Amino acid sequence: MNVGLEHYLVVSVLLFCLGLVGVIVRRNLLVIYMSLELMLNAANLALVAFSRYTDSLDGQVFVFFIITVAAAEVSVGLALIVALYRKRQNAHVEDLTTLKL
Amino acid sequence: MQDAFFYIFAFLTLVFGFLVIANPFSRNPVTSAMFLVLTIVSLAGLFVLLHAFFLAAVQILVYAGAVMVLFLFVIMMLDLKEEERRKIRKLGVVGGLISAGAILAIFLSSLLKREALLGAVQSPAVEGGTVPLAKLLFTQYLLPFEIVSVLLLVAIVGVVLLSKKDLK
């Protein structure tokens, strides 16, 4: 069976689900952040596959922008985590309950 | 030949992705980060198979290079210890599996109705080399390109502000 658009989409959606499970199940803030990166990469893969199989480069330009924005997002998010860790000395989501009623 | 490479890279991507979120041998965030690097590299392999050569290079340079080094720096700086085993929340695991299963179900049901995909080109000819991508980026997408540079500047200023010692 020839590899087509569907194959790439299946890989992409499986990777996305892995990331989603990671975000919900894991409790270390940094690992949650890595799972978010997994989800972003899954979306990138789907976009590149669509771009290839619809014969237009627009999807790849979009992925280029996503990678740039993800880099900015990671730097700001990690700075937030560092600032949080300085105040609380911990990176566990279960111990951060200031907003809990 | 290409198909074999697709299956190899897809398998590697999924296995490494699984090891990022649930490593049975170690709960150290550093191992997760290392497996994330491997996931990203095998995704770059998939990009090459999709003829997105420029993006494959950018993926390795920016993600596996810059972003993951940033992650490892922060892990090192925070000096995180091996995560002690806590009780696994049943609710969290069940909720995560249900939501992931729901997304999978939606995707599969739309994949089985193939109408949307019938427009796909059977023998694609698009090439994602540097030249065609740059032509598009500097003509049609020039304004978003400039806006992204402003966004990076904003991120730099924000990070500097956030990492000051006496955060108000």
Side-chain angles (χ1 to χ4, degrees):
Chain A
M1 190 161 145
N2 256 343
V3 169
L5 177 57
E6 298 88 354
H7 293 72
Y8 286 100
L9 290 185
V10 168
V11 174
S12 158
V13 87
L14 284 176
L15 199 60
F16 187 88
C17 287
L18 277 178
L20 183 66
V21 171
V23 169
I24 297 178
V25 172
R26 292 302 297 263
R27 277 156 301 164
N28 189 318
L29 264 179
L30 281 162
V31 180
I32 290 179
Y33 222 69
M34 290 178 208
S35 309
L36 278 177
E37 294 302 311
L38 268 189
M39 291 166 81
L40 269 174
N41 273 305
N44 281 351
L45 179 62
L47 279 169
V48 174
F50 274 124
S51 147
R52 169 97 173 132
Y53 285 96
T54 53
D55 238 348
S56 96
L57 269 179
D58 292 350
Q60 296 196 10
V61 176
F62 208 73
V63 170
F64 178 79
F65 285 129
I66 291 179
I67 289 178
T68 324
V69 173
E73 173 231 332
V74 165
S75 58
V76 174
L78 287 178
L80 279 173
I81 291 178
V82 170
L84 185 73
Y85 194 81
R86 276 211 195 112
K87 268 213 156 71
R88 295 301 204 61
Q89 298 301 321
N90 116 39
H92 248 281
V93 281
E94 276 183 348
D95 301 332
L96 306 170
T97 52
T98 318
L99 283 177
K100 216 173 185 176
L101 284 175
Chain B
M1 190 64 183
Q2 281 213 345
D3 290 4
F5 272 119
F6 167 79
Y7 286 114
I8 292 170
F9 279 124
F11 178 74
L12 286 179
T13 307
L14 292 176
V15 168
F16 290 144
F18 179 78
L19 288 175
V20 172
I21 65 160
N23 193 332
F25 305 112
S26 151
R27 294 175 68 75
N28 197 332
V30 177
T31 37
S32 286
M34 286 308 178
F35 279 117
L36 187 53
V37 172
L38 290 176
T39 315
I40 284 164
V41 170
S42 33
L43 262 179
L46 284 181
F47 283 4
V48 170
L49 288 181
L50 284 166
H51 291 235
F53 305 117
F54 178 69
L55 283 181
V58 166
Q59 175 93 351
I60 288 186
L61 288 180
V62 175
Y63 255 116
V67 170
M68 292 318 297
V69 166
L70 202 62
F71 260 108
L72 289 173
F73 257 141
V74 169
I75 292 173
M76 203 175 67
M77 221 173 79
L78 298 187
D79 194 20
L80 291 177
K81 303 287 179 308
E82 184 93 358
E83 197 178 330
E84 77 269 38
R85 290 209 173 264
R86 300 196 177 191
K87 256 191 302 179
I88 291 182
R89 287 169 309 167
K90 293 250 167 50
L91 192 69
V93 176
V94 171
L97 290 182
I98 285 177
S99 44
I103 287 185
L104 264 181
I106 291 173
F107 171 77
L108 289 179
S109 69
S110 64
L111 190 66
L112 290 179
K113 290 186 249 164
R114 290 274 303 271
E115 289 94 346
L117 294 180
L118 283 183
V121 181
Q122 287 313 311
S123 55
V126 63
E127 293 283 336
T130 313
V131 174
L133 215 61
K135 272 191 183 129
L136 209 56
L137 209 54
F138 290 120
T139 54
Q140 196 183 342
Y141 292 96
L142 186 58
L143 181 64
F145 187 76
E146 295 296 336
I147 293 176
V148 159
S149 65
V150 176
L151 176 79
L152 285 175
L153 179 68
V154 171
I156 293 172
V157 175
V159 168
V160 170
L161 189 73
L162 278 173
S163 37
K164 283 208 313 196
K165 237 343 192 260
D166 46 346
L167 190 61
K168 290 271 160 34

